[in-house]
Amino acid sequence: MSNALELNGRRALVTGGTQGIGAAVVVRLREAGARVLTTARTTPAGLPGADLFVAADIATAEGCAAVAGAVRDRLDGVDIIVHVVGGSSAPAGGFAALDDKQWQRALDQNLFPAVRLDRALLPAMLEQGAGVIIHITSIQRQLPLPDATIAYAAAKAALSNYSKALSKEVSPKGIRVVRVSPGWVETEAAVRLVTELAKKTGTDYEGARQGLMKSLGGIPIGRPAKPTEVADLVAFLASPRAAAITGAEFVIDGGTVPTV
């Protein structure tokens, strides 16, 4: 399968690549033959291939500059960029619980890393006349959860809009820009969340899991997506087999968001 994707020798950057979706994407691209540099705020214990890892907080301009420098120094350029990093640390309580710092944090985590790294790395991609940029958005850009993720959902909506605009600018110059929009993905962090919900509500893991799916309006396939399933989609979109795909958003949510 790796040979079929024709990624041998491709140079890739994956942000947030030590856990969850990001870690699965790193594994999948490497299986397909790509040389992958990844990032996180801290270096995980027992990390293999430390020369292809950068410890940096890319919610800051300084962190993005460090990663861009590492891409140039260690990969000598880049062919594939997958922006996975993101998240929300906002408290529950709706709009009133979110002050300016919470809103800025949501943008710093979910929008500006992609903007800054694209701005730093795109000139070289344009010079080589080829490349793929994949932005990981979220179904919350169109299905926000008002109690705690207003700012996160708005930042992901901004990322999606930015990605579409960028695709219109650079696709005629050989750079494909694509969005992948996951729903609930059962990552390690999601498992911890469900486990905690089970404790709080006095039920078991499966009961809490079903309750969370119900809060999303249901997932027609009856389960969350797996990180490996998102990674498989990302790897296909990064490959030459998706050469005619740009400017599009691919939803992978088990049918959570109804189509119209």
Side-chain angles (χ1 to χ4, degrees):
M1 186 174 181
S2 61
N3 290 335
L5 290 176
E6 302 166 16
L7 293 180
N8 287 328
R10 299 297 174 94
R11 302 160 298 174
L13 168 66
V14 178
T15 65
T18 60
Q19 55 186 339
I21 293 172
V25 170
V26 169
V27 169
R28 188 68 191 87
L29 292 181
R30 286 177 177 166
E31 287 175 346
R35 189 162 183 250
V36 184
L37 174 70
T38 190
T39 75
R41 285 179 295 178
T42 57
T43 304
L47 177 74
D51 62 317
L52 291 177
F53 175 81
V54 182
D57 182 3
I58 62 171
T60 68
E62 295 79 10
C64 288
V67 170
V71 168
R72 299 185 190 102
D73 295 341
R74 302 183 200 181
L75 296 181
D76 192 29
V78 69
D79 304 298
I80 301 164
I81 303 173
V82 186
H83 294 288
V84 181
V85 75
S88 175
S89 56
F95 80 93
L98 304 179
D99 59 16
D100 283 0
K101 289 183 179 179
Q102 294 289 350
W103 276 98
Q104 188 62 54
R105 182 62 178 164
L107 294 169
D108 287 340
Q109 287 181 299
N110 297 287
L111 174 64
F112 290 136
V115 171
R116 287 167 175 151
L117 284 169
D118 289 348
R119 189 168 59 216
L121 298 173
L122 253 172
M125 296 177 92
L126 290 167
E127 186 174 339
Q128 68 192 20
V132 183
I133 298 174
I134 298 174
H135 297 112
I136 305 299
T137 59
S138 169
I139 63 168
Q140 287 201 43
R141 76 168 187 83
Q142 61 192 110
L143 190 70
L145 302 177
D147 184 55
T149 64
I150 293 176
Y152 167 81
K156 285 295 190 181
L159 176 63
S160 181
N161 187 280
Y162 155 74
S163 181
K164 180 64 175 179
L166 186 66
S167 74
K168 290 185 175 183
E169 180 180 357
V170 301
S171 292
K173 302 172 184 177
I175 314 302
R176 295 193 295 111
V177 184
V178 189
R179 291 158 284 160
V180 171
S181 181
W184 181 26
V185 180
E186 202 161 23
T187 61
E188 301 96 322
V191 169
R192 290 194 297 270
L193 171 62
V194 175
T195 301
E196 187 62 28
L197 287 173
K199 291 179 181 177
K200 289 181 178 179
T201 58
T203 186
D204 59 9
Y205 182 89
E206 185 57 29
R209 189 173 182 257
Q210 291 295 327
L212 186 51
M213 286 193 286
K214 185 177 179 180
S215 74
L216 297 171
I219 302 178
I221 66 170
R223 64 169 179 83
K226 301 173 183 177
T228 53
E229 292 169 332
V230 181
D232 283 341
L233 175 59
V234 168
F236 166 72
L237 292 171
S239 78
R241 295 206 166 197
I245 298 175
T246 191
E249 183 167 39
F250 291 81
V251 176
I252 178 166
D253 69 349
T256 304
V257 177
T259 57
V260 292

